[in-house]
């Protein structure tokens, strides 16, 4: 009984840690990109990737985690995933420069719709009607908020859409790569980061290096601390996503993510003074938030039904075996 209670409290602690870390990374990235005007998302992504590789190697050395060494044949299979990852993170960070956090969160809801469409087209997987309806309502709220967003920036919105598309491609492709390579989560993280480094290096040199040399805040302690923390927290977040799914369930991770979006949106309304609040904008955000809660309830009901069906099937199977033994 005591061990069960300890396990429940540990699961709760992990879920809360994941939520707080997820909120922190959004605001840390926004701080670096907006307050310190560090408009170099590729360089920021490169720093996060390199630190992730270092941390993974340290954790493996300490035997806290395990994953296989790099092999060329496996690397070829993971490479398309790394391309999706690079564009997903880089465009997401770049859009934060010109899009306020509440609107950024609303636009990111489009990712779920793209995943549903992508799974239907590529995998012939059909989602339940109530799940599709909740996602469409999320997107409808985002459209209303975007229409009323007085800080509208077309390039920032475009980057957010690209980030949503790349995220959807990443989420769909990651299951295929996991199946083809049989890598665990840390193995996928390691391969993904290693393959991302040369891509990002080329892109940084070509697109950002000349402007980076003239950046004025490299010697600023506040910038250095925010930049370092954003890279560290990015890795911790990836680790906690895995740990939360392992200790609790993927559903708990998903619902925690939805709650994080709500809190981030509310805090983001006032944190950076870059939101012009009006009725239509708030209404759109509320519609998107309510739809997110509905989506979480739908997913919860799906899991509950699946578990009930599994229990029923197991019970029927056991009863049939007992009958056979009596005969």
């Amino acid at each position: 009984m005591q061990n069960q209670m300890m396990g429940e409290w540990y699961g709760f602690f992990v879920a809360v840690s994941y939520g707080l870390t997820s909120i922190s990374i959004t605001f840390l990235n926004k701080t670096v990109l907006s307050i310190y005007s560090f408009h170099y998302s590729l360089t920021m992504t490169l720093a996060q990737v390199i630190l992730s590789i270092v941390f993974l190697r340290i954790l493996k050395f300490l035997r806290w985690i395990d994953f296989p060494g790099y092999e060329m044949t496996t690397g070829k299979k993971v490479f398309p995933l790394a391309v999706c990852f690079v564009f997903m993170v880089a465009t997401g960070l770049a859009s934060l420069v010109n899009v306020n956090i509440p609107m950024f969160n609303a636009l990111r809801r489009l990712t779920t719709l793209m995943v549903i469409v992508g799974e239907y087209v590529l995998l012939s997987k059909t989602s339940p009607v109530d799940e599709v309806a909740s996602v469409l309502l999320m997107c409808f709220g985002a459209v209303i908020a975007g229409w009323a967003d007085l800080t509208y920036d077309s390039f920032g919105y475009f980057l957010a859409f690209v980030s949503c598309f790349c995220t959807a491609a990443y989420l769909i492709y990651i299951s295929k790569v996991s199946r083809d390579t049989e890598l665990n989560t840390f193995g996928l993280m390691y391969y993904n980061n290693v393959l991302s480094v040369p891509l990002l290096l080329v892109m940084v040199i070509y697109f950002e290096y000349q402007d980076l040399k003239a950046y004025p805040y490299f010697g600023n302690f506040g910038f250095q601390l925010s930049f370092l923390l954003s890279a560290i927290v990015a890795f911790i977040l990836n680790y906690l996503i895995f740990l939360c799914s392992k200790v609790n369930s993927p559903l708990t991770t998903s619902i925690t993510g939805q709650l994080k979006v709500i809190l981030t949106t509310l805090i983001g309304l006032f944190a950076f003074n870059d939101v012009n609040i009006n009725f239509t904008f708030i209404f759109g955000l509320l519609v998107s938030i309510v739809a997110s809660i509905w989506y979480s309830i739908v997913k919860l009901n799906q899991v509950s039904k699946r578990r009930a069906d599994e229990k029923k099937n197991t019970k029927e199977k056991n009863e049939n075996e007992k009958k056979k033994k009596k005969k």
Side-chain angles (χ1 to χ4, degrees):
M1 184 71 177
Q2 188 176 1
N3 289 337
Q4 185 180 357
M5 287 182 64
M6 288 293 291
E8 289 175 355
W9 277 109
Y10 179 64
F12 174 76
F13 172 75
V14 171
V16 170
S17 299
Y18 160 62
L20 292 175
T21 304
S22 190
I23 291 170
S24 300
I25 190 65
T26 302
F27 287 97
L28 280 169
N29 287 339
K30 183 70 174 175
T31 298
V32 173
L33 295 164
S34 295
I35 292 182
Y36 291 104
S37 301
F38 190 78
H39 301 165
Y40 310 106
S41 58
L42 293 171
T43 302
M44 197 169 177
T45 306
L46 178 61
Q48 292 178 353
V49 163
I50 290 173
L51 268 179
S52 290
I53 293 171
V54 172
F55 287 138
L56 283 169
R57 297 299 304 182
I58 290 173
L59 291 174
K60 184 179 181 180
F61 177 77
L62 295 173
R63 295 185 179 179
W64 290 3
I65 62 173
D66 189 39
F67 54 87
Y70 188 86
E71 292 181 3
M72 190 63 70
T73 52
T74 305
K76 289 178 181 178
K77 295 177 182 177
V78 180
F79 182 73
L81 188 69
V83 174
C84 292
F85 171 79
V86 167
F87 283 97
M88 173 185 75
V89 177
T91 53
L93 289 173
S95 66
L96 266 177
V97 176
N98 300 312
V99 178
N100 60 65
I101 287 176
M103 197 61 236
F104 177 77
N105 282 336
L107 291 172
R108 292 286 290 175
R109 302 298 91 199
L110 297 173
T111 299
T112 311
L113 178 61
M114 291 180 182
V115 169
I116 289 174
V117 173
E119 287 182 338
Y120 177 75
V121 173
L122 300 175
L123 306 175
S124 299
K125 180 182 176 182
T126 305
S127 299
V129 175
D130 52 355
E131 182 179 336
V132 175
S134 64
V135 171
L136 287 174
L137 188 60
M138 271 193 254
C139 297
F140 177 66
V143 170
I144 294 174
W147 179 67
D149 184 13
L150 299 178
T151 63
Y152 171 81
D153 182 276
S154 57
F155 185 60
Y157 272 51
F158 169 74
L159 289 173
F161 283 124
V162 174
S163 180
C164 288
F165 177 81
C166 293
T167 303
Y170 181 79
L171 292 173
I172 293 170
Y173 198 73
I174 196 168
S175 59
K176 181 181 184 303
V177 173
S178 299
R179 187 172 60 252
D180 293 346
T181 61
E182 297 183 352
L183 289 169
N184 61 21
T185 301
F186 292 113
L188 273 176
M189 285 174 62
Y190 181 69
Y191 270 86
N192 194 46
N193 288 326
V194 168
L195 291 166
S196 298
V197 170
L199 285 172
L200 286 165
L201 271 175
V202 171
M203 294 169 76
V204 166
I205 292 169
Y206 188 78
F207 292 110
E208 296 181 348
Y209 179 68
Q210 291 301 322
D211 293 332
L212 268 174
K213 291 191 292 185
Y215 181 69
Y217 293 112
F218 275 127
N220 183 286
F221 177 73
F223 166 77
Q224 293 171 351
L225 182 62
S226 298
F227 189 89
L228 181 63
L229 282 175
S230 72
I232 293 172
V233 172
F235 172 78
I236 294 173
L237 177 61
N238 284 330
Y239 175 72
L240 285 175
I241 289 172
F242 165 73
L243 189 61
C244 189
S245 296
K246 183 180 179 182
V247 173
N248 297 295
S249 70
L251 178 65
T252 301
T253 307
S254 176
I255 293 174
T256 304
Q258 298 296 337
L259 293 174
K260 158 256 177 184
V261 168
I262 295 171
L263 285 173
T264 306
T265 298
L266 293 174
I267 297 170
L269 285 170
F270 311 101
F272 293 96
N273 295 319
D274 60 350
V275 181
N276 290 320
I277 298 175
N278 59 74
F279 174 78
T280 309
F281 180 74
I282 296 298
F283 176 73
L285 290 180
L286 284 174
V287 169
S288 186
I289 288 171
V290 169
S292 296
I293 296 170
W294 180 21
Y295 175 79
S296 296
I297 293 170
V298 168
K299 299 301 285 185
L300 178 62
N301 290 337
Q302 287 176 5
V303 172
S304 299
K305 185 178 182 301
R306 187 162 59 246
R307 286 176 178 171
D309 290 341
E310 287 174 356
K311 285 182 180 179
K312 183 181 177 182
N313 292 334
T314 303
K315 186 178 179 181
E316 289 178 353
K317 185 179 178 181
N318 291 335
E319 288 176 353
N320 290 332
E321 287 179 354
K322 287 180 181 178
K323 288 178 181 178
K324 287 180 181 179
K325 288 179 180 179
K326 286 181 180 179
K327 290 178 181 180

